[in-house]
Amino acid sequence: MCGIVGYIGPRNTQDVLIEGLSKLEYRGYDSAGIAVYTDGGLKVSKALGRLVNLENKLEGAPLVGSVGIGHTRWATHGKPSDVNSHPHTDATQKFSVVHNGIIENYLELKDELIASGVEFVSETDTEVISHLVAREYNGDIVEAVQKVIKHLRGAFALAVLTEYEPDRIVAVRHASPLIIGIGENENFIGSDIPAILKYTRNVFILNDGEMALLTRDSVKLMTIEGNEIAREMTYIEWDAITAEKGGYEHFMHKEIHEQPRAYQDTMRGRVDESGKKVVLPDFHMTDEQIKNIRNVQIIACGTAYHAGLVGRTVIERLVRIPVETDVASEYRYRSPIVTPETLVIVVSQSGETADTLAALREAQANGAHVLAITNVVGSSIARDANDVIATLAGPEIAVASTKAYTSQLIAFYLLGLYFAQVRGTQTEAQVAETLAAMQALPEQVESILTRELEAKAHAEEFSSQKHLFFIGRGLDYAAAQEGSLKLKEISYIHSEAYAAGELKHGTLALIEEGVPVIALATEQALIEKTVSNIKEVKARGGVVLTICYEEDAQELLKSVDSVFTIPKTLPLLTASLSVVALQLLSYYASLALGLDVDKPRNLAKSVTVE
Ligand code: M6R
């Protein structure tokens, strides 16, 4: 995701900013920029692409000064480009702003500013902030920022610098992390610890709703309403690598834990203020086009394909349109039947997967409207698709996909509900009920994550086995397929996922004394049938761990060996909780086996060959 740095003090500001940004590169970004107060006033330099492009630019035109802010951008609103990268300024170039997060109501604010004569240069949500700060400024940058915050809805971490007060930087945290580093006669801002670790280990960690005013020799912490806060400094003991992983041992573990935030970010700005209706502000398909869809084809690879399996059920149940799901490497070679009324949805975390990109082009060549669900807004798939729904999971570094998958599920829920609204296949009350259940998901995921030790104990028990089976019906089967892939790729344990009812048609022959079977049993309408299949496994000596709702645990324990419970949600949403349990099981199995969790053998994060 985006990165923020800020510096005020005697060092060469440009160097400190670039050094800080380089330490945030691991988070992924598509452009970078800095603003420094120089002899000639506030100056900005930005460049698309790697940080080295910015460094090259600065070599020819250095920004010399003792206060500045910098940013690495990971596009969410507007494609990656020089002009869309941060810092953003107002029309007079006297105010500059860097921002992490999403301003949900930016379109509203932008319209209002345009009506008052402001000209926008970028497509970003952030630019509204720089114009608003300029409008509200009356000699005190803190007051101006406080006034602006009142207009903003969404998530934001900000650093703001003005030419009028070059001895001060303002930092704000609202649902997007920010820390303040304390030095001697110098102070720092960082969106993440690695950005400032080279210079100081003493930090103030801002909480949501707090801001800081930095000068060279002081830091004042306050609430966004302006009430001063007294806080103890935190001493950071992490080494640089641990800091990149946010204190976690592995990126995968960190990314599993980032899911509650990824769910919120992917929903942010896509549910109206009443909380009862889906809005997709950047969606191009007209209502008429949506009403004319005759069939949907979902195409993807690996984990993204598994998200598509859930997406199929979601769209079929909510919208009653026939949906096929296909792996991308097969799709283009099977002469797919596509008509102008076919909607093709490609799903890809990276947006660069060669098979998926080729399938997208095949579908477009056949006249389909292609919608991409992707985590990388500036990717090839995002650029080529006719429509994009960005999953806002933030960069995923571990090869094993976790938060990208669950964010893809959130995108499918939103899309299904949106289509259902347009086509009238769900009542307003039904849509509102599903959205309310979705809002509860982040907290429910948190509650699963508090029970990691339980998952660890289960994983340690089966990690010495050579084979393992996952079974489930309906959406449990879709989630089982993802659980099986996760386990295979990072623990190298051979596993298969089966539709629970299909096991007896052949694979049951492989079940013998001690073979572990993970049975997902959350689909309430199918639970009795799943239990019958579990009994078939038990009768052959299989050892069954069941993922189920708390309220079903007692009953299920009569038939199975152990349970891992998850909080209850609507049947449609169940995979977004059960999969978190499966991710933990895989993670701890890999750990128990002493394997390289983040970089499993033979695999790459982005597969750009067919
Ligand atoms: O970037 P993509 O989502 O297009 O990648 C697709 C697959 O290569 C990817 O999901 C792969 O299966 C993951 N390693 C699974 O964890």
Side-chain angles (χ1 to χ4, degrees):
M1 203 58 113
C2 305
I4 289 180
V5 290
Y7 177 70
I8 183 161
R11 299 178 199 253
N12 178 328
T13 296
Q14 173 182 305
D15 291 351
V16 177
L17 297 177
I18 295 292
E19 169 69 22
L21 293 178
S22 75
K23 292 290 180 272
L24 297 178
E25 278 190 295
Y26 75 96
R27 294 158 58 96
Y29 67 104
D30 47 57
S31 52
I34 61 171
V36 175
Y37 176 71
T38 69
D39 280 350
L42 192 60
K43 293 278 180 268
V44 176
S45 186
K46 0 195 224 186
L48 177 64
R50 310 303 297 170
L51 198 53
V52 70
N53 299 350
L54 176 63
E55 288 179 79
N56 290 340
K57 209 166 177 178
L58 289 167
E59 223 170 79
L63 301 187
V64 181
S66 54
V67 57
I69 55 179
H71 192 263
T72 41
R73 175 171 188 254
W74 194 72
T76 58
H77 293 67
K79 59 185 177 302
S81 68
D82 278 0
V83 77
N84 283 338
S85 52
H86 301 209
H88 287 284
T89 54
D90 68 309
T92 65
Q93 316 265 312
K94 303 285 186 206
F95 298 87
S96 71
V97 175
V98 291
H99 163 222
N100 285 1
I102 298 157
I103 305 301
E104 285 174 23
N105 57 334
Y106 85 101
L107 282 175
E108 223 171 90
L109 296 168
K110 190 169 177 173
D111 287 348
E112 192 193 302
L113 285 159
I114 289 173
S116 69
V118 172
E119 279 181 28
F120 277 76
V121 294
S122 78
E123 302 159 281
T124 65
D125 51 342
T126 307
E127 197 185 335
V128 297
I129 305 174
S130 44
H131 294 298
L132 286 172
V133 173
R135 188 180 77 182
E136 300 293 351
Y137 188 71
N138 204 2
D140 183 337
I141 189 63
V142 177
E143 270 178 33
V145 171
Q146 283 167 339
K147 280 187 193 155
V148 171
I149 293 169
K150 290 192 187 133
H151 298 288
L152 306 180
R153 259 202 338 264
F156 46 89
L158 306 173
V160 184
L161 177 62
T162 173
E163 181 174 313
Y164 297 122
E165 297 175 67
D167 51 348
R168 309 167 101 195
I169 319 179
V170 178
V172 183
R173 171 181 172 151
H174 179 78
S176 196
L178 206 62
I179 55 164
I180 309 298
I182 314 299
E184 246 178 63
N185 290 321
E186 58 180 355
N187 290 308
F188 305 82
I189 301 172
S191 53
D192 209 349
I193 288 163
I196 59 168
L197 207 55
K198 179 171 172 189
Y199 305 103
T200 181
R201 289 179 172 269
N202 291 319
V203 302
F204 287 126
I205 298 169
L206 292 185
N207 294 324
D208 285 343
E210 293 180 352
M211 60 191 294
L213 173 64
L214 286 80
T215 66
R216 252 172 186 249
D217 46 21
S218 72
V219 170
K220 182 176 166 189
L221 302 183
M222 56 199 134
T223 64
I224 51 180
E225 291 80 28
N227 302 319
E228 205 164 328
I229 300 168
R231 171 151 316 143
E232 293 267 305
M233 240 167 2
T234 304
Y235 183 78
I236 303 293
E237 301 201 8
W238 298 343
D239 58 34
I241 302 288
T242 313
E244 281 190 4
K245 292 178 185 157
Y248 291 94
E249 201 183 333
H250 299 101
F251 281 113
M252 181 185 179
H253 197 203
K254 174 173 179 261
E255 286 158 8
I256 288 173
H257 277 261
E258 283 171 344
Q259 290 178 111
R261 177 171 292 278
Y263 285 34
Q264 280 164 344
D265 285 348
T266 304
M267 280 187 264
R268 201 181 300 286
R270 291 168 171 164
V271 179
D272 79 351
E273 267 183 84
S274 72
K276 295 182 176 163
K277 209 174 156 200
V278 176
V279 284
L280 295 176
D282 300 328
F283 207 56
H284 296 110
M285 279 186 98
T286 61
D287 285 3
E288 207 190 323
Q289 278 176 308
I290 293 170
K291 283 180 186 155
N292 285 339
I293 299 170
R294 297 281 291 273
N295 66 317
V296 176
Q297 296 175 342
I298 302 176
I299 311 164
C301 306
T303 286
Y305 168 72
H306 294 148
L309 295 176
V310 174
R312 176 177 72 191
T313 302
V314 168
I315 295 173
E316 287 190 342
R317 285 191 193 170
L318 291 176
V319 201
R320 310 302 299 150
I321 309 176
V323 184
E324 303 163 76
T325 312
D326 215 341
V327 287
S329 53
E330 288 295 314
Y331 176 81
R332 61 190 292 230
Y333 300 111
R334 70 169 171 90
S335 301
I337 301 165
V338 175
T339 71
E341 286 83 37
T342 303
L343 171 67
V344 169
I345 305 177
V346 293
V347 190
S348 173
Q349 185 286 129
S350 62
E352 299 297 345
T353 301
D355 288 324
T356 311
L357 189 57
L360 175 158
R361 290 184 176 141
E362 174 76 21
Q364 275 177 336
N366 286 315
H369 183 96
V370 178
L371 161 65
I373 296 180
T374 180
N375 202 32
V376 183
V377 170
S379 61
S380 307
I381 286 177
R383 284 200 308 268
D384 284 11
N386 306 90
D387 249 307
V388 177
I389 296 187
T391 50
L392 298 166
E396 196 178 60
I397 293 165
V399 165
S401 185
T402 52
K403 60 177 182 171
Y405 168 83
T406 44
S407 304
Q408 286 158 359
L409 301 193
I410 300 290
F412 272 118
Y413 302 152
L414 291 169
L415 184 71
L417 290 171
Y418 186 72
F419 282 180
Q421 283 169 192
V422 174
R423 294 173 66 120
T425 49
Q426 290 274 293
T427 62
E428 280 176 23
Q430 285 171 319
V431 172
E433 187 196 7
T434 306
L435 285 174
M438 284 172 68
Q439 302 291 357
L441 291 174
E443 213 172 294
Q444 292 180 314
V445 172
E446 294 283 9
S447 84
I448 296 173
L449 295 176
T450 59
R451 295 182 20 246
E452 281 199 60
L453 290 181
E454 236 180 278
K456 184 168 182 263
H458 288 300
E460 284 168 358
E461 228 165 81
F462 68 66
S463 63
S464 56
Q465 298 287 336
K466 289 265 170 296
H467 308 279
L468 188 148
F469 293 89
F470 287 83
I471 58 171
R473 286 171 175 259
L475 283 169
D476 284 336
Y477 174 43
Q481 292 179 73
E482 173 53 11
S484 173
L485 176 65
K486 213 83 305 163
L487 187 71
K488 272 189 276 238
E489 67 177 331
I490 59 169
S491 75
Y492 316 152
I493 297 172
H494 167 243
S495 84
E496 304 282 347
Y498 270 87
E502 181 65 10
L503 207 63
K504 58 185 176 295
H505 296 288
T507 309
L508 198 57
L510 296 175
I511 305 294
E512 53 184 356
E513 206 58 43
V515 170
V517 175
I518 298 180
L520 284 84
T522 69
E523 279 266 31
Q524 296 293 296
L526 301 167
I527 206 159
E528 283 177 9
K529 296 198 182 299
T530 306
V531 169
S532 302
N533 303 132
I534 289 173
K535 287 190 171 149
E536 291 157 10
V537 168
K538 283 299 304 167
R540 271 101 193 151
V543 178
V544 179
L545 162 65
T546 296
I547 313 291
C548 64
Y549 291 140
E550 279 142 21
E551 63 189 42
D552 296 327
Q554 284 314 318
E555 191 52 36
L556 280 162
L557 272 168
K558 294 179 188 159
S559 317
V560 306
D561 297 278
S562 52
V563 295
F564 186 96
T565 61
I566 58 170
K568 189 154 190 188
T569 184
L570 293 179
L572 196 71
L573 310 181
T574 179
S576 52
L577 296 179
S578 57
V579 150
V580 178
L582 301 182
Q583 293 166 349
L584 289 173
L585 291 173
S586 300
Y587 173 73
Y588 282 109
S590 178
L591 213 61
L593 292 165
L595 298 172
D596 188 343
V597 176
D598 285 337
K599 291 194 187 115
R601 69 185 181 202
N602 307 341
L603 301 178
K605 183 64 186 162
S606 185
V607 186
T608 51
V609 289
E610 265 201 71

